[in-house]
Amino acid sequence: MNNEEFRRHGHAVVDWIADYLENIEARRPVPAVQPGDILNQLAAEAPEQGEPMERILSDFDRIIVPGLAHWQHPGWFAFFASNASPPSLLGEMLAAGVAVNCMSWATSPAATELEQRSLEWL
């Protein structure tokens, strides 16, 4: 995937997430699936070649999303509260984009010290 394809697909993913969050109330908080429903829709063998991103996103929307518990749904009252606000999603994208590994100061001084300061604020 070259940078232009990454940019185009990245915009599509952000648009999908924004639409998802905007319309989450229209979804069931808990999926109406049985064990094996998702598995039976997935190919038994790994693809020999990479698939187009449009197909991956289509499969994600068609197969994966209907089998998810939607923890951001306002009707979701199990376990713990929603945990992925739009600002936190953008932060995750930044962290993934720079491939930060935050396991110790030596692997990422900035991440370690930002975490340290954030905890002090709390």
Side-chain angles (χ1 to χ4, degrees):
M1 179 181 294
N2 64 36
N3 278 340
E4 189 51 41
E5 291 170 318
F6 172 73
R7 185 181 309 279
R8 183 168 42 89
H9 297 310
H11 284 281
V13 169
V14 169
D15 286 344
W16 188 95
I17 293 169
D19 290 344
Y20 170 80
L21 294 173
E22 186 174 9
N23 299 301
I24 196 166
E25 291 181 33
R27 299 180 184 274
R28 293 174 48 95
V30 179
V33 296
Q34 297 298 314
D37 284 354
I38 307 305
L39 189 62
N40 291 332
Q41 295 179 71
L42 301 172
E45 302 289 327
E48 292 289 325
Q49 301 292 321
E51 297 182 346
M53 192 61 158
E54 291 81 8
R55 180 165 181 197
I56 293 169
L57 292 176
S58 175
D59 287 349
F60 175 75
D61 205 27
R62 183 178 54 84
I63 299 170
I64 303 302
V65 175
L68 297 175
H70 300 284
W71 290 53
Q72 298 296 100
H73 192 285
W76 176 258
F77 298 114
F79 307 113
F80 48 85
S82 299
N83 58 353
S85 66
S88 73
L89 293 169
L90 296 175
E92 288 283 342
M93 289 171 56
L94 289 171
V98 296
V100 66
N101 290 295
C102 309
M103 56 204 118
S104 73
W105 187 90
T107 62
S108 185
T112 301
E113 293 183 12
L114 174 61
E115 179 182 29
Q116 184 178 13
R117 180 64 68 205
S118 296
L119 290 174
E120 289 170 0
W121 291 340
L122 293 173

